[in-house]
Amino acid sequence: MSVEEHKRLKRLTASSINGYEALSVYLKYIEENVISSLEKWTHMENDYVMEALEREYTMLNLGLRALRINIPGFAFHKALKARKVLVAIFQSIVDKRRNERKEKLLPGQKAKDMMDSLIDAEDENERKLGDDEIIDIMLMYLNAGHESSGHITMWATYFLQGHPKIFRKAKEEQEEILRRRPPTQKGLKLEEVRKMEYLSKVIDETMRLITIAVIVFREAKSDVNINGYLIPKGWKALVWFRSIHLDPEIYPNPKEFNPDRWNEVHKAGEFLPFGVGTRLCPGNDLAKLEISVFLHHFLLNYEMEQLNPKSPVRFLPHTRPMDNCLARIKKSSVV
Ligand code: HEM
């Protein structure tokens, strides 16, 4: 994809998941999903549709990092098959949306979410995106967005549960939000999420310690000199974020989970969980919103009991407990 095409698609898609209006639209869906999922988990109920989708994403993801061997049994082959299943699911969603819009959307009415923006988008020659292009973009967004936020949510829950003092402090902040809420208000407001200062530090600390996006790749467009090292034009460079996030000179005692280290402001370049530059993650605000909403409800009403608390952790391709953090979610015993 050309640089120009990347810029155009990013502009088009990023606006539908950024800013007050867009995030307010998503907040309602996120909260409904969080509440119903937490409730289901306490009864050990599963959402089979979501689980089936999750299986396909996982296959796709594993194949992205595998050798391109398209023979049955190999990860790449399984990923291609998973992609076909996902494309079929997404095609039915795009069809449904196009039909709904025919019936409901009045001429000139503003687009609502990313799919609407993609359906409406036109280039300078008035060419619209085809279904295959829309599906490609949706798949890319879901792939980029679901595992990263899911892992950080899981780790934040894990750290909170393992640090009772931090848990209590974070819970008090959430209780304060409820106390200040007008009795008639139903559900979270974006203003409330923005007041979750301590929770935001918990999330930043989780993202620092876990650094879910381990690396990004770049190419030097010209000779670059960094601290006396020359990266010649055309060389591929690999940015290893963990070396920044676990640098003891920037973060003393870097392996300690300590949200209070965020009481100090850090310099530019010292915290890059969402990358940097033109490729900066467009889902950064949405991701923090999703994680905050989950932790709000978790802290207020639930506890997590790991089934294998001593499970070893593996660090590649992502930091995760070897048992995938098998746990029981229970209603909290102390109210
Ligand atoms: C905690 C959650 C997340 C983390 C840590 C994360 C991190 C990152 C990082 C490091 C990059 C690469 C930036 C670079 O190359 O410099 C990236 C790219 C991207 N992320 Fe995220 N992300 C998260 C959630 C999301 C969400 C929720 C979405 C969308 C719904 C999303 C969509 C994307 C997309 C589309 C790109 C590619 C951007 C481009 O190439 O211009 N991410 N993300």
Side-chain angles (χ1 to χ4, degrees):
M1 184 188 292
S2 71
V3 174
E4 284 316 309
E5 183 63 358
H6 170 254
K7 264 196 205 152
R8 191 179 81 87
L9 284 178
K10 194 153 181 183
R11 234 187 357 257
L12 198 68
T13 50
S15 60
S16 54
I17 52 167
N18 279 285
Y20 187 88
E21 222 176 294
L23 291 177
S24 300
V25 170
Y26 286 105
L27 175 56
K28 190 169 154 283
Y29 294 109
I30 298 169
E31 192 168 26
E32 279 169 11
N33 266 303
V34 163
I35 293 173
S36 76
S37 299
L38 279 164
E39 196 51 37
K40 275 187 202 148
W41 295 344
T42 58
H43 305 298
M44 302 296 268
E45 278 175 36
N46 297 331
D47 184 331
Y48 294 106
V49 177
M50 287 309 277
E51 271 186 16
L53 269 180
E54 176 77 35
R55 258 197 309 278
E56 304 300 337
Y57 289 140
T58 307
M59 287 290 180
L60 186 62
N61 248 332
L62 289 173
L64 286 178
R65 300 185 183 101
L67 291 173
R68 286 173 61 102
I69 305 176
N70 190 6
I71 297 176
F74 283 85
F76 186 69
H77 180 82
K78 289 184 195 162
L80 291 179
K81 272 174 71 180
R83 193 178 187 286
K84 269 195 191 148
V85 177
L86 288 168
V87 167
I89 296 171
F90 276 87
Q91 183 65 59
S92 66
I93 298 172
V94 175
D95 290 345
K96 187 164 168 249
R97 177 64 64 90
R98 284 199 191 276
N99 285 334
E100 279 171 4
R101 285 164 53 98
K102 259 188 225 146
E103 286 163 20
K104 291 195 201 137
L105 213 62
L106 303 169
Q109 197 169 333
K110 231 176 135 201
K112 216 171 54 193
D113 61 11
M114 187 183 293
M115 193 174 305
D116 284 317
S117 306
L118 292 171
I119 292 175
D120 285 340
E122 269 180 8
D123 67 12
E124 51 286 3
N125 303 319
E126 295 182 14
R127 190 188 76 89
K128 289 194 170 258
L129 294 169
D131 283 4
D132 50 343
E133 290 167 302
I134 294 178
I135 291 170
D136 260 357
I137 296 169
M138 298 301 291
L139 268 179
M140 191 267 288
Y141 260 85
L142 279 160
N143 208 37
H146 100 283
E147 228 190 322
S148 44
S149 315
H151 273 80
I152 295 298
T153 308
M154 181 272 285
W155 277 111
T157 314
Y158 171 102
F159 288 134
L160 283 165
Q161 201 62 61
H163 295 79
K165 268 196 193 160
I166 298 174
F167 190 107
R168 268 197 301 281
K169 193 166 169 187
K171 183 171 170 133
E172 274 161 24
E173 182 182 60
Q174 301 309 316
E175 288 170 340
E176 182 61 21
I177 284 174
L178 291 195
R179 271 196 293 278
R180 285 167 182 251
R181 181 179 284 178
T184 48
Q185 184 186 318
K186 286 208 172 64
L188 272 167
K189 291 224 154 119
L190 213 50
E191 292 78 358
E192 291 174 325
V193 179
R194 289 184 174 157
K195 282 190 192 129
M196 298 177 183
E197 278 182 29
Y198 188 65
L199 195 67
S200 173
K201 291 177 190 169
V202 167
I203 299 170
D204 284 353
E205 181 64 346
T206 307
M207 290 200 287
R208 178 193 70 80
L209 199 47
I210 296 304
T211 307
I212 200 77
V214 185
I215 38 169
V216 292
F217 298 94
R218 293 292 189 270
E219 186 184 306
K221 292 283 176 207
S222 55
D223 287 355
V224 184
N225 202 312
I226 301 180
N227 294 341
Y229 293 94
L230 173 73
I231 304 179
K233 180 180 172 183
W235 275 39
K236 305 278 189 291
L238 190 152
V239 188
W240 184 253
F241 291 128
R242 275 186 197 154
S243 67
I244 307 169
H245 291 171
L246 297 177
D247 182 343
E249 290 198 4
I250 308 175
Y251 301 102
N253 202 359
K255 293 199 178 149
E256 184 196 15
F257 179 73
N258 174 15
D260 283 335
R261 68 171 89 239
W262 295 97
N263 296 343
E264 280 163 38
V265 179
H266 284 271
K267 284 197 228 116
E270 289 183 348
F271 184 51
L272 303 169
F274 295 109
V276 65
T278 53
R279 294 267 166 181
L280 179 78
C281 174
N284 52 359
D285 284 348
L286 180 63
K288 256 191 122 166
L289 180 67
E290 290 169 345
I291 303 165
S292 306
V293 175
F294 180 90
L295 294 176
H296 166 80
H297 286 282
F298 174 75
L299 284 161
L300 285 173
N301 301 306
Y302 297 91
E303 284 169 13
M304 180 178 84
E305 188 182 85
Q306 270 187 270
L307 302 192
N308 309 306
K310 296 215 163 77
S311 171
V313 171
R314 73 162 191 231
F315 295 93
L316 285 172
H318 299 304
T319 309
R320 61 157 85 189
M322 297 282 250
D323 73 340
N324 285 334
C325 198
L326 276 181
R328 212 168 266 128
I329 299 289
K330 302 187 297 184
K331 287 264 182 203
S332 17
S333 38
V334 192
V335 184

